[in-house]
Amino acid sequence: MTSVRALTIGLLILILLVAGPLQELDYFLARRWLYHLEPDLMWFAQNVLNRVASQAVCLLVLAVVAVVLARRRRSWRPIVFALASEAAFLVGIGGMKVLLARGVTYERDPDLLDGGLWAMGMKGISFPSGHAAEAVLIYGAAVYLIAHYSGASRRLVRLLCWGVVVISVNSVVVSFLLGWHWASDLVGGLLAGGLLLRILMRWDERGHGVRRADL
């Protein structure tokens, strides 16, 4: 279910659904739920929970993991993988946002290609969710490095994987309750982030295979 093929097919199907059948559901679900349910939690959700999957936090975590492992292994590969992960986010997720050009929820228009970076700025690039994608891609990349470039036990790696799941769920739930994203944006972010992570993992594992063969 997390293979490159499965994630690619899932993402393409979602984009087709977002272009039509899912728009009514997205419109219905797009509310500032937390404001209506518990407005006192708005500040905590925006400034604490939401920032867990922000660039300032997740990229710092990935950078620390990559540098520490690079020094221990005396290899540039962890740093190269970390840089490739951030590049994949900027080019892959950023490119999808620009190409699909979907406006944010408070513009009340869930259609694709009706927003756009040039016409609406950051308000016009909602799909896929960057925070949801980062939660999977950047934190997932950190766990991958720990799993493959350190002596971490399988139990620890398994716990870290569950940590990524928790962070991803937190990102999706918080963004949804704040009303910052259409529901399908969040699902798209998870699929796109997972797809890019899987591609990077396969690329790095193949590199290891070539190096071992050379040795």
Side-chain angles (χ1 to χ4, degrees):
M1 291 180 64
T2 61
S3 67
V4 171
R5 179 179 299 178
L7 290 170
T8 300
I9 293 173
L11 183 58
L12 290 175
I13 291 175
L14 178 64
I15 292 173
L16 292 176
L17 292 174
V18 170
L22 279 182
Q23 289 183 15
E24 289 188 12
L25 179 61
D26 272 333
Y27 190 87
F28 173 76
L29 293 174
R31 302 287 187 274
R32 298 179 65 192
W33 296 106
L34 189 59
Y35 178 79
H36 296 292
L37 296 173
E38 193 58 59
D40 291 340
L41 292 177
M42 290 288 291
W43 185 92
F44 181 74
Q46 292 178 14
N47 296 284
V48 179
L49 296 179
N50 183 63
R51 291 189 178 181
V52 173
S54 66
Q55 280 272 291
V57 178
C58 65
L59 192 56
L60 176 61
V61 171
L62 178 59
V64 170
V65 169
V67 170
V68 169
L69 292 177
R71 292 188 63 182
R72 288 184 179 180
R73 296 292 296 269
R74 296 183 180 181
S75 169
W76 286 99
R77 289 194 70 88
I79 294 178
V80 170
F81 187 84
L83 292 173
S85 300
E86 176 63 9
F89 174 76
L90 295 175
V91 176
I93 303 301
M96 287 182 62
K97 282 177 169 289
V98 173
L99 289 174
L100 295 175
R102 192 185 205 188
V104 293
T105 55
Y106 41 88
E107 294 294 332
R108 309 310 296 167
D109 183 1
D111 201 5
L112 299 179
L113 306 178
D114 279 355
L117 182 62
W118 317 122
M120 301 170 61
M122 299 301 290
K123 297 180 180 179
I125 51 174
S126 181
F127 184 93
S129 165
H131 273 49
E134 282 180 313
V136 177
L137 174 58
I138 305 301
Y139 281 111
V143 173
Y144 172 82
L145 289 177
I146 293 172
H148 287 75
Y149 290 92
S150 76
S153 65
R154 290 186 177 181
R155 182 180 181 182
L156 176 59
V157 172
R158 196 175 298 117
L159 288 174
L160 292 174
C161 287
W162 277 110
V164 174
V165 172
V166 171
I167 291 172
S168 300
V169 171
N170 169 76
S171 177
V172 168
V173 171
V174 170
S175 291
F176 177 74
L177 291 178
L178 289 173
W180 287 354
H181 272 288
W182 307 102
S184 56
D185 292 349
L186 300 168
V187 178
L190 295 178
L191 290 173
L195 173 60
L196 293 175
L197 176 61
R198 180 61 70 181
I199 292 172
L200 288 170
M201 289 167 59
R202 178 177 294 183
W203 163 73
D204 189 67
E205 289 167 354
R206 286 180 176 176
H208 274 301
V210 171
R211 187 168 59 181
R212 290 194 184 106
D214 290 341
L215 292 175

PDB file of all heavy atoms in Angstrom, residues 23-40:
ATOM      1  N   GLN A  23     -15.699  17.985  -4.590  1.00  0.00           N
ATOM      2  CA  GLN A  23     -15.776  19.410  -4.282  1.00  0.00           C
ATOM      3  C   GLN A  23     -16.954  19.755  -3.368  1.00  0.00           C
ATOM      4  O   GLN A  23     -16.819  20.598  -2.476  1.00  0.00           O
ATOM      5  CB  GLN A  23     -15.842  20.221  -5.579  1.00  0.00           C
ATOM      6  CG  GLN A  23     -14.523  20.228  -6.331  1.00  0.00           C
ATOM      7  CD  GLN A  23     -14.560  21.078  -7.582  1.00  0.00           C
ATOM      8  OE1 GLN A  23     -15.468  21.881  -7.767  1.00  0.00           O
ATOM      9  NE2 GLN A  23     -13.575  20.897  -8.442  1.00  0.00           N
ATOM     10  N   GLU A  24     -18.073  19.116  -3.561  1.00  0.00           N
ATOM     11  CA  GLU A  24     -19.227  19.393  -2.701  1.00  0.00           C
ATOM     12  C   GLU A  24     -18.946  18.975  -1.259  1.00  0.00           C
ATOM     13  O   GLU A  24     -19.291  19.683  -0.314  1.00  0.00           O
ATOM     14  CB  GLU A  24     -20.467  18.670  -3.232  1.00  0.00           C
ATOM     15  CG  GLU A  24     -21.019  19.270  -4.517  1.00  0.00           C
ATOM     16  CD  GLU A  24     -22.349  18.651  -4.906  1.00  0.00           C
ATOM     17  OE1 GLU A  24     -22.935  17.928  -4.052  1.00  0.00           O
ATOM     18  OE2 GLU A  24     -22.804  18.882  -6.035  1.00  0.00           O
ATOM     19  N   LEU A  25     -18.304  17.815  -1.094  1.00  0.00           N
ATOM     20  CA  LEU A  25     -17.952  17.348   0.248  1.00  0.00           C
ATOM     21  C   LEU A  25     -16.924  18.272   0.885  1.00  0.00           C
ATOM     22  O   LEU A  25     -17.031  18.621   2.068  1.00  0.00           O
ATOM     23  CB  LEU A  25     -17.421  15.917   0.182  1.00  0.00           C
ATOM     24  CG  LEU A  25     -16.993  15.297   1.521  1.00  0.00           C
ATOM     25  CD1 LEU A  25     -18.175  15.240   2.478  1.00  0.00           C
ATOM     26  CD2 LEU A  25     -16.405  13.916   1.302  1.00  0.00           C
ATOM     27  N   ASP A  26     -15.917  18.671   0.111  1.00  0.00           N
ATOM     28  CA  ASP A  26     -14.911  19.604   0.611  1.00  0.00           C
ATOM     29  C   ASP A  26     -15.562  20.903   1.072  1.00  0.00           C
ATOM     30  O   ASP A  26     -15.226  21.442   2.132  1.00  0.00           O
ATOM     31  CB  ASP A  26     -13.874  19.917  -0.483  1.00  0.00           C
ATOM     32  CG  ASP A  26     -12.719  18.930  -0.488  1.00  0.00           C
ATOM     33  OD1 ASP A  26     -12.428  18.364   0.571  1.00  0.00           O
ATOM     34  OD2 ASP A  26     -12.113  18.743  -1.549  1.00  0.00           O
ATOM     35  N   TYR A  27     -16.485  21.404   0.282  1.00  0.00           N
ATOM     36  CA  TYR A  27     -17.163  22.662   0.605  1.00  0.00           C
ATOM     37  C   TYR A  27     -17.969  22.528   1.896  1.00  0.00           C
ATOM     38  O   TYR A  27     -17.975  23.424   2.746  1.00  0.00           O
ATOM     39  CB  TYR A  27     -18.078  23.068  -0.548  1.00  0.00           C
ATOM     40  CG  TYR A  27     -18.635  24.466  -0.411  1.00  0.00           C
ATOM     41  CD1 TYR A  27     -17.922  25.573  -0.878  1.00  0.00           C
ATOM     42  CD2 TYR A  27     -19.877  24.680   0.184  1.00  0.00           C
ATOM     43  CE1 TYR A  27     -18.424  26.849  -0.744  1.00  0.00           C
ATOM     44  CE2 TYR A  27     -20.392  25.955   0.320  1.00  0.00           C
ATOM     45  CZ  TYR A  27     -19.666  27.039  -0.144  1.00  0.00           C
ATOM     46  OH  TYR A  27     -20.160  28.311  -0.003  1.00  0.00           O
ATOM     47  N   PHE A  28     -18.644  21.390   2.044  1.00  0.00           N
ATOM     48  CA  PHE A  28     -19.463  21.155   3.227  1.00  0.00           C
ATOM     49  C   PHE A  28     -18.603  21.061   4.495  1.00  0.00           C
ATOM     50  O   PHE A  28     -18.982  21.562   5.560  1.00  0.00           O
ATOM     51  CB  PHE A  28     -20.269  19.868   3.051  1.00  0.00           C
ATOM     52  CG  PHE A  28     -21.013  19.449   4.287  1.00  0.00           C
ATOM     53  CD1 PHE A  28     -22.172  20.103   4.677  1.00  0.00           C
ATOM     54  CD2 PHE A  28     -20.541  18.400   5.074  1.00  0.00           C
ATOM     55  CE1 PHE A  28     -22.853  19.721   5.832  1.00  0.00           C
ATOM     56  CE2 PHE A  28     -21.217  18.017   6.217  1.00  0.00           C
ATOM     57  CZ  PHE A  28     -22.373  18.682   6.602  1.00  0.00           C
ATOM     58  N   LEU A  29     -17.425  20.420   4.375  1.00  0.00           N
ATOM     59  CA  LEU A  29     -16.576  20.189   5.540  1.00  0.00           C
ATOM     60  C   LEU A  29     -15.707  21.382   5.909  1.00  0.00           C
ATOM     61  O   LEU A  29     -15.147  21.427   7.011  1.00  0.00           O
ATOM     62  CB  LEU A  29     -15.669  18.980   5.288  1.00  0.00           C
ATOM     63  CG  LEU A  29     -16.362  17.615   5.186  1.00  0.00           C
ATOM     64  CD1 LEU A  29     -15.352  16.548   4.797  1.00  0.00           C
ATOM     65  CD2 LEU A  29     -17.044  17.261   6.491  1.00  0.00           C
ATOM     66  N   ALA A  30     -15.572  22.336   4.997  1.00  0.00           N
ATOM     67  CA  ALA A  30     -14.680  23.478   5.231  1.00  0.00           C
ATOM     68  C   ALA A  30     -15.311  24.475   6.187  1.00  0.00           C
ATOM     69  O   ALA A  30     -16.057  25.369   5.775  1.00  0.00           O
ATOM     70  CB  ALA A  30     -14.326  24.147   3.903  1.00  0.00           C
ATOM     71  N   ARG A  31     -15.037  24.302   7.453  1.00  0.00           N
ATOM     72  CA  ARG A  31     -15.538  25.195   8.494  1.00  0.00           C
ATOM     73  C   ARG A  31     -14.421  25.437   9.516  1.00  0.00           C
ATOM     74  O   ARG A  31     -13.503  24.644   9.630  1.00  0.00           O
ATOM     75  CB  ARG A  31     -16.745  24.586   9.223  1.00  0.00           C
ATOM     76  CG  ARG A  31     -17.920  24.242   8.344  1.00  0.00           C
ATOM     77  CD  ARG A  31     -18.667  25.480   7.878  1.00  0.00           C
ATOM     78  NE  ARG A  31     -19.888  25.115   7.158  1.00  0.00           N
ATOM     79  CZ  ARG A  31     -19.938  24.833   5.873  1.00  0.00           C
ATOM     80  NH1 ARG A  31     -18.810  24.857   5.154  1.00  0.00           N
ATOM     81  NH2 ARG A  31     -21.074  24.525   5.280  1.00  0.00           N
ATOM     82  N   ARG A  32     -14.550  26.498  10.252  1.00  0.00           N
ATOM     83  CA  ARG A  32     -13.613  26.731  11.360  1.00  0.00           C
ATOM     84  C   ARG A  32     -14.156  25.992  12.588  1.00  0.00           C
ATOM     85  O   ARG A  32     -14.640  26.585  13.547  1.00  0.00           O
ATOM     86  CB  ARG A  32     -13.459  28.223  11.619  1.00  0.00           C
ATOM     87  CG  ARG A  32     -12.879  29.006  10.445  1.00  0.00           C
ATOM     88  CD  ARG A  32     -12.792  30.484  10.768  1.00  0.00           C
ATOM     89  NE  ARG A  32     -11.849  30.734  11.863  1.00  0.00           N
ATOM     90  CZ  ARG A  32     -11.755  31.893  12.506  1.00  0.00           C
ATOM     91  NH1 ARG A  32     -12.562  32.898  12.184  1.00  0.00           N
ATOM     92  NH2 ARG A  32     -10.879  32.050  13.470  1.00  0.00           N
ATOM     93  N   TRP A  33     -14.028  24.680  12.535  1.00  0.00           N
ATOM     94  CA  TRP A  33     -14.653  23.836  13.533  1.00  0.00           C
ATOM     95  C   TRP A  33     -14.187  24.162  14.944  1.00  0.00           C
ATOM     96  O   TRP A  33     -14.992  24.216  15.877  1.00  0.00           O
ATOM     97  CB  TRP A  33     -14.381  22.363  13.210  1.00  0.00           C
ATOM     98  CG  TRP A  33     -14.985  21.912  11.924  1.00  0.00           C
ATOM     99  CD1 TRP A  33     -14.329  21.659  10.753  1.00  0.00           C
ATOM    100  CD2 TRP A  33     -16.363  21.643  11.658  1.00  0.00           C
ATOM    101  NE1 TRP A  33     -15.201  21.267   9.774  1.00  0.00           N
ATOM    102  CE2 TRP A  33     -16.462  21.240  10.302  1.00  0.00           C
ATOM    103  CE3 TRP A  33     -17.528  21.706  12.427  1.00  0.00           C
ATOM    104  CZ2 TRP A  33     -17.668  20.902   9.709  1.00  0.00           C
ATOM    105  CZ3 TRP A  33     -18.732  21.370  11.843  1.00  0.00           C
ATOM    106  CH2 TRP A  33     -18.803  20.972  10.497  1.00  0.00           C
ATOM    107  N   LEU A  34     -12.901  24.352  15.130  1.00  0.00           N
ATOM    108  CA  LEU A  34     -12.365  24.585  16.470  1.00  0.00           C
ATOM    109  C   LEU A  34     -12.872  25.901  17.048  1.00  0.00           C
ATOM    110  O   LEU A  34     -13.127  26.003  18.250  1.00  0.00           O
ATOM    111  CB  LEU A  34     -10.830  24.580  16.436  1.00  0.00           C
ATOM    112  CG  LEU A  34     -10.139  24.597  17.800  1.00  0.00           C
ATOM    113  CD1 LEU A  34     -10.560  23.393  18.630  1.00  0.00           C
ATOM    114  CD2 LEU A  34      -8.626  24.622  17.636  1.00  0.00           C
ATOM    115  N   TYR A  35     -13.029  26.893  16.193  1.00  0.00           N
ATOM    116  CA  TYR A  35     -13.537  28.193  16.652  1.00  0.00           C
ATOM    117  C   TYR A  35     -14.947  28.051  17.215  1.00  0.00           C
ATOM    118  O   TYR A  35     -15.295  28.685  18.216  1.00  0.00           O
ATOM    119  CB  TYR A  35     -13.524  29.188  15.498  1.00  0.00           C
ATOM    120  CG  TYR A  35     -14.076  30.546  15.867  1.00  0.00           C
ATOM    121  CD1 TYR A  35     -13.302  31.468  16.558  1.00  0.00           C
ATOM    122  CD2 TYR A  35     -15.390  30.892  15.530  1.00  0.00           C
ATOM    123  CE1 TYR A  35     -13.815  32.715  16.910  1.00  0.00           C
ATOM    124  CE2 TYR A  35     -15.909  32.134  15.870  1.00  0.00           C
ATOM    125  CZ  TYR A  35     -15.122  33.037  16.561  1.00  0.00           C
ATOM    126  OH  TYR A  35     -15.634  34.271  16.919  1.00  0.00           O
ATOM    127  N   HIS A  36     -15.747  27.212  16.581  1.00  0.00           N
ATOM    128  CA  HIS A  36     -17.123  27.025  17.032  1.00  0.00           C
ATOM    129  C   HIS A  36     -17.208  26.070  18.222  1.00  0.00           C
ATOM    130  O   HIS A  36     -18.074  26.235  19.087  1.00  0.00           O
ATOM    131  CB  HIS A  36     -17.989  26.491  15.888  1.00  0.00           C
ATOM    132  CG  HIS A  36     -18.106  27.441  14.744  1.00  0.00           C
ATOM    133  ND1 HIS A  36     -18.775  28.638  14.834  1.00  0.00           N
ATOM    134  CD2 HIS A  36     -17.626  27.376  13.465  1.00  0.00           C
ATOM    135  CE1 HIS A  36     -18.712  29.277  13.676  1.00  0.00           C
ATOM    136  NE2 HIS A  36     -18.022  28.530  12.827  1.00  0.00           N
ATOM    137  N   LEU A  37     -16.302  25.081  18.268  1.00  0.00           N
ATOM    138  CA  LEU A  37     -16.374  24.078  19.322  1.00  0.00           C
ATOM    139  C   LEU A  37     -15.657  24.512  20.598  1.00  0.00           C
ATOM    140  O   LEU A  37     -16.187  24.341  21.698  1.00  0.00           O
ATOM    141  CB  LEU A  37     -15.768  22.750  18.819  1.00  0.00           C
ATOM    142  CG  LEU A  37     -16.502  22.079  17.659  1.00  0.00           C
ATOM    143  CD1 LEU A  37     -15.709  20.883  17.158  1.00  0.00           C
ATOM    144  CD2 LEU A  37     -17.894  21.633  18.100  1.00  0.00           C
ATOM    145  N   GLU A  38     -14.457  25.038  20.462  1.00  0.00           N
ATOM    146  CA  GLU A  38     -13.655  25.418  21.625  1.00  0.00           C
ATOM    147  C   GLU A  38     -12.701  26.545  21.251  1.00  0.00           C
ATOM    148  O   GLU A  38     -11.514  26.324  21.011  1.00  0.00           O
ATOM    149  CB  GLU A  38     -12.859  24.205  22.128  1.00  0.00           C
ATOM    150  CG  GLU A  38     -12.238  24.400  23.514  1.00  0.00           C
ATOM    151  CD  GLU A  38     -13.260  24.711  24.584  1.00  0.00           C
ATOM    152  OE1 GLU A  38     -14.172  23.882  24.797  1.00  0.00           O
ATOM    153  OE2 GLU A  38     -13.163  25.792  25.185  1.00  0.00           O
ATOM    154  N   PRO A  39     -13.194  27.775  21.162  1.00  0.00           N
ATOM    155  CA  PRO A  39     -12.362  28.902  20.707  1.00  0.00           C
ATOM    156  C   PRO A  39     -11.146  29.172  21.587  1.00  0.00           C
ATOM    157  O   PRO A  39     -10.159  29.730  21.118  1.00  0.00           O
ATOM    158  CB  PRO A  39     -13.326  30.090  20.717  1.00  0.00           C
ATOM    159  CG  PRO A  39     -14.433  29.675  21.625  1.00  0.00           C
ATOM    160  CD  PRO A  39     -14.563  28.196  21.468  1.00  0.00           C
ATOM    161  N   ASP A  40     -11.194  28.759  22.846  1.00  0.00           N
ATOM    162  CA  ASP A  40     -10.057  28.989  23.737  1.00  0.00           C
ATOM    163  C   ASP A  40      -8.815  28.194  23.318  1.00  0.00           C
ATOM    164  O   ASP A  40      -7.706  28.509  23.752  1.00  0.00           O
ATOM    165  CB  ASP A  40     -10.427  28.607  25.174  1.00  0.00           C
ATOM    166  CG  ASP A  40     -11.450  29.568  25.777  1.00  0.00           C
ATOM    167  OD1 ASP A  40     -11.572  30.694  25.258  1.00  0.00           O
ATOM    168  OD2 ASP A  40     -12.127  29.182  26.745  1.00  0.00           O
TER     169      ASP A  40
END
